[in-house]
Amino acid sequence: MVTTYNNVLYQTDNGIGMITLNRPKALNALNSGLLKELDSLLDEIAQDDNVKVVIITGSGDKAFVAGADISEMQSMSALAGRTFGKFGQAIFSKLENIPQPVIAAVNGFALGGGCELAMACDIRIASEKAKFGQPEVSLGIVPGFGGTQRLSRLIGKGRAKELLYTADIVDAQEAYRLGLVNIIAPADELISTAKALAEKILSRAQVPVQLCKAAVNTGMDTDLESGIAYEAEVFGLCFATADQKEGMTAFVGKRKPNFTGK
Ligand code: CAA
């Protein structure tokens, strides 16, 4: 299946949904049009049980996403800015919380809203050409699509504050060292690396994969006791699945499991 929006390309293949943000002339900057399409597409994906893993990348060889669209924001009032920020935040929270794991394949600049988008994904793979940063203070604003919150949660508040206050842009190696990216791949192997990771996830039992995502996300936003209690519930739920019986029967029988996603 191929769905074409104006600013977003979407293809599915064998359980993998591939989103390509497609405004290459503006380095895939996030304008309202692109954000609205991404919002609709995420609703579509969240309801599609055939899609098990999502990969998100940028079109062209230069940028993942060079940020929110500066031309569109240039003349915004404070109230319009807040509305735009809340809109982007809601979409990134939706992305963070769709049932399926999401892999960001960062093919170039991931700045401002681009870095924030990558951070709303579950796992980040960076091309060795990728560059990351939150340069908002050099534009007279703060990050508005979750950057002040997700960056500090991901890399710790000291390092996050340094990047936020300086507007420094870091390369893939430094992003890896900071814990901002999971894997670095050669540029021409970025998508195949993301697909290989997606296929590895696809080979596992899908109900617990999705429950792991829900449990980590729920736990990160609450206290340890509540997170642990949530984990006990989803752990128990797994024993109601056919894949739990299959996984453990296969282990005991010394064979590979044949998961059905049920
Ligand atoms: N918004 C709108 N247009 C953008 C853009 C953005 N964020 N980033 C790049 N573009 C456009 C440029 O205006 C240019 O358009 P024209 O060809 O029509 O002039 C085109 O994309 C190519 O960009 P450059 O010529 O600047 O390319 P470069 O290779 O010289 O530089 C770059 C690349 C370093 C990424 C540079 O484009 C840049 O600094 N972009 C802005 C990065 C940034 O500040 N992002 C944060 C935005 S604010 C934000 O995201 C707020 C938030 O948290 C929600």
Side-chain angles (χ1 to χ4, degrees):
M1 186 192 78
V2 180
T3 308
T4 308
Y5 296 90
N6 288 326
N7 302 295
V8 179
L9 304 175
Y10 180 58
Q11 283 187 297
T12 59
D13 183 24
N14 278 328
I16 301 175
M18 170 73 78
I19 301 175
T20 306
L21 303 173
N22 191 34
R23 288 188 74 212
K25 285 188 182 148
L27 304 187
N28 306 319
L30 304 170
N31 64 3
S32 296
L34 189 154
L35 286 168
K36 279 182 192 145
E37 290 183 358
L38 181 60
D39 191 35
S40 304
L41 179 55
L42 290 171
D43 287 335
E44 189 185 319
I45 292 171
Q47 289 175 36
D48 187 349
D49 291 339
N50 294 317
V51 174
K52 310 292 191 209
V53 183
V54 176
I55 298 172
I56 184 161
T57 193
S59 70
D61 57 4
K62 204 164 163 184
F64 174 67
V65 167
D69 192 301
I70 297 168
S71 315
E72 187 176 340
M73 291 185 293
Q74 189 180 1
S75 57
M76 277 181 189
S77 65
L79 294 184
R82 184 176 65 186
T83 301
F84 186 62
K86 285 194 169 195
F87 183 52
Q89 287 176 349
I91 297 166
F92 287 10
S93 291
K94 186 179 284 185
L95 173 67
E96 189 168 48
N97 290 302
I98 61 170
Q100 301 94 333
V102 182
I103 300 167
V106 182
N107 54 310
F109 289 109
L111 302 179
C115 188
E116 292 168 305
L117 177 67
M119 291 192 292
C121 297
D122 297 295
I123 296 170
R124 283 149 293 284
I125 303 180
S127 142
E128 56 199 1
K129 287 169 33 186
K131 290 197 170 16
F132 295 80
Q134 298 288 163
E136 281 86 349
V137 294
S138 64
L139 292 166
I141 57 172
V142 303
F145 291 171
T148 60
Q149 303 307 303
R150 290 199 178 89
L151 188 62
S152 45
R153 281 165 173 74
L154 202 54
I155 69 171
K157 73 178 180 182
R159 289 182 169 130
K161 284 175 175 173
E162 184 183 342
L163 286 183
L164 292 165
Y165 300 167
T166 60
D168 278 353
I169 291 170
V170 299
D171 64 14
Q173 287 295 342
E174 177 66 1
Y176 180 79
R177 200 185 64 76
L178 290 169
L180 188 49
V181 303
N182 299 62
I183 299 167
I184 301 176
D188 59 355
E189 292 171 22
L190 177 69
I191 298 302
S192 60
T193 304
K195 284 188 172 164
L197 178 61
E199 272 154 22
K200 184 185 274 191
I201 295 169
L202 274 161
S203 74
R204 310 307 188 200
Q206 292 307 301
V207 171
V209 164
Q210 294 195 3
L211 292 178
C212 281
K213 173 166 177 170
V216 173
N217 282 359
T218 301
M220 291 301 288
D221 292 333
T222 186
D223 61 284
L224 182 62
E225 280 310 304
S226 306
I228 290 287
Y230 185 87
E231 183 189 82
E233 295 304 323
V234 295
F235 181 64
L237 187 59
C238 292
F239 290 85
T241 66
D243 279 350
Q244 175 269 328
K245 302 290 177 267
E246 169 61 13
M248 295 192 178
T249 303
F251 178 83
V252 171
K254 301 193 186 304
R255 63 171 174 82
K256 283 199 164 178
N258 181 21
F259 291 125
T260 59
K262 294 186 177 133

